[in-house]
Every structure is written in structure tokens, then in C-alpha cells.
Amino acid sequence: MSDMIETAKRALGLVDLTNLNEDCTEADITSLTGRTVTDHGSVAAICVWPRFVAQAVRELTGTGVKVATVVNFPTGGIDTASVVAETKQALEDGADEIDLVMPYKAFVEGRKGFVEEQIIRVREVLPEDALLKVILETGEIKDPLLIHAAANVAIAAGADFIKTSTGKVAVNATLEAAEIMLTAIEEARRDDPERVIGFKPAGGIRTAEDAAAYLALADRIMGHNWVSASTFRFGASGLLDALIDTLEGKDSVEGQGY
């Protein structure tokens, strides 16, 4: 149990606490921001729909918790101009981090250049201190070689993080996809040791045991000193409560796991 408590302590500060429910309200956002600073420490960020960014920024002022939002979400469309405009508005509203859904259907169809261009164009409008997390939607890409190729495209186009999933499809984060993506990050690190590229599993991660499995995988591939909030995040809505329950010795109730 002590090992799981240590894992929970480690994982709590890596959580992107998420509400991307279609029926999310301003009251839900206030509830979400109210959970970010706990007796056991703060989460890394919250991740919300673009329409709630300004509210979240106001409510989190002074906490140190970042505000992330999603663009081209959840379907990964191909109207790059709209995605860039959506990104600019989110930044004007105060977003610190942008989680961009890669046009994964176009990628599977072989349109690598188009996908790369969209990521580059979004990257270009981000200030230096804003993070770009690129969502591959690995459960829809499916093929391991294509997942690896998608990770490489995102990294080459300027992603600061690569993220498994939107949480909106049948298959979201898996350890198999995580291993492929972390391997791509490790390969990129060998090519350019100065560049920092992070990893974010999202969708279906609900328990301290789930978190432990992903952290162990990252430790094995990237080394024990690699994981931090600048290199690793969990995209989840229910995980925080499970981690707190573990830290407080309670039985956790599974929540959602975007």
C-alpha cells in the first residue's frame, strides 16, 4: 500500500483535471477549479472547452494551476483556418496550453503533409511559453506503425507533448499506444537531447493502479528522472478523486476518465 501512496503523491501533480462534457456549465467549471488545489498538493492544469477558458483563468488566478483547452476537438477536422482562429481566441482568453486534435482521419488516408501543416500553423500562433499538446487519437489510428508515424509527424511539426486520445472514442489511452509514443519521444531525444517533448495519456485512466502502470512505463523507457509536470500529464476527470482516496486510505469510486 505504501508504494501506491507514493504513486498517488507523484501522480497528483501531473493531472490535467478535465471536464469536456457536452453539457458542461459555468457552475461545473467553478466546481472543477475548486478541486484543483487539494490538501495533498495542486494538479498541473485543468482542461476545458474553449468557451470556459476566460472563466477558468479568472478563477485560478494565483493558484499556479495552468489552463488548457482543446481545439479541433473532438473530430480532428481539416479546416485549418478555423482551427488557427480557435487557437488565437483561446490564447486571447488566457489559455496557457492548447490540446490540438491532429486531423487523424486525413493522416490515416495518407495526407501526412496536410496534417503536418496544420500542426505547424497552430504552433506558429502560440507564444514561446504556451504548450502545444497534439492528440493523435491512437484508438482510431489503430495500427502500431501508423501510431509511431503519427507521433513522429507531431514531434517534427513542433508538438511540446503528444497525447493519446480525446476520451470521446471507443478506445482511448492504452499501455500499448503509450509504449509506442514514449519510444518515439525517446528516439527524438536521442536525435536532439536539448528538446523536451512530453507525453499525455488521456481517456479511461481512473485509478491509482492505472496511473502506476503508465508511470512505470515512462520510467522504463525514459528513465526514472524524466517524469515531471513539464514532461508528463494525465488527462482525466475521475483520477484526482481516486488519488486523494488512496492518499487518505479510502476506497475510491471510479469516475470518468477523459
Side-chain angles (χ1 to χ4, degrees):
M1 184 61 182
S2 60
D3 285 350
M4 201 51 65
I5 289 173
E6 287 305 310
T7 293
K9 285 180 183 175
R10 186 183 184 198
L12 191 147
L14 307 174
V15 171
D16 281 3
L17 185 62
T18 301
N19 188 330
L20 295 170
N21 297 333
E22 283 78 4
D23 59 356
C24 184
T25 66
E26 290 182 4
D28 292 330
I29 297 302
T30 297
S31 175
L32 195 73
T33 59
R35 296 169 56 210
T36 57
V37 180
T38 79
D39 292 340
H40 306 281
S42 301
V43 300
I46 66 166
C47 187
V48 298
W49 291 104
R51 63 184 180 272
F52 296 119
V53 166
Q55 176 189 348
V57 169
R58 286 195 307 272
E59 294 180 356
L60 289 172
T61 299
T63 65
V65 176
K66 302 294 188 183
V67 176
T69 193
V70 289
V71 299
N72 209 21
F73 188 92
T75 56
I78 60 171
D79 185 350
T80 298
S82 293
V83 178
V84 170
E86 190 178 25
T87 302
K88 286 180 177 177
Q89 184 61 57
L91 294 168
E92 286 177 18
D93 288 342
D96 303 294
E97 303 176 0
I98 300 294
D99 288 28
L100 163 70
V101 183
M102 186 184 84
Y104 58 90
K105 294 171 188 170
F107 180 78
V108 171
E109 291 167 1
R111 299 173 63 189
K112 173 185 168 184
F114 171 81
V115 172
E116 194 168 38
E117 182 187 359
Q118 185 175 108
I119 299 169
I120 288 169
R121 287 189 56 191
V122 171
R123 172 78 264 177
E124 286 173 347
V125 301
L126 265 63
E128 193 73 25
D129 58 350
L131 285 181
L132 175 61
K133 308 192 202 92
V134 177
I135 304 169
L136 307 187
E137 201 69 291
T138 54
E140 293 293 288
I141 295 176
K142 297 185 176 75
D143 181 84
L145 291 176
L146 276 181
I147 292 170
H148 190 270
N152 286 342
V153 166
I155 290 168
D160 297 303
F161 270 71
I162 50 175
K163 176 177 170 180
T164 60
S165 326
T166 60
K168 300 291 190 181
V169 294
V171 176
N172 292 288
T174 66
L175 289 168
E176 292 77 14
E179 182 163 12
I180 295 165
M181 293 168 68
L182 284 163
T183 298
I185 291 169
E186 200 277 328
E187 290 165 353
R189 180 175 65 176
R190 273 186 271 156
D191 291 339
D192 183 1
E194 299 301 311
R195 186 167 171 207
V196 177
I197 304 154
F199 171 67
K200 179 176 173 179
I205 301 167
R206 298 181 173 91
T207 67
E209 290 79 9
D210 291 340
Y214 284 96
L215 290 171
L217 183 65
D219 289 344
R220 176 169 66 79
I221 295 172
M222 302 301 299
H224 284 269
N225 295 322
W226 181 76
V227 169
S228 72
S230 64
T231 57
F232 192 104
R233 302 284 183 84
F234 290 108
S237 57
L239 179 61
L240 177 62
D241 291 336
L243 296 175
I244 291 171
D245 286 345
T246 298
L247 290 167
E248 296 180 352
K250 301 173 186 173
D251 291 329
S252 66
V253 177
E254 283 197 5
Q256 299 169 358
Y258 298 140

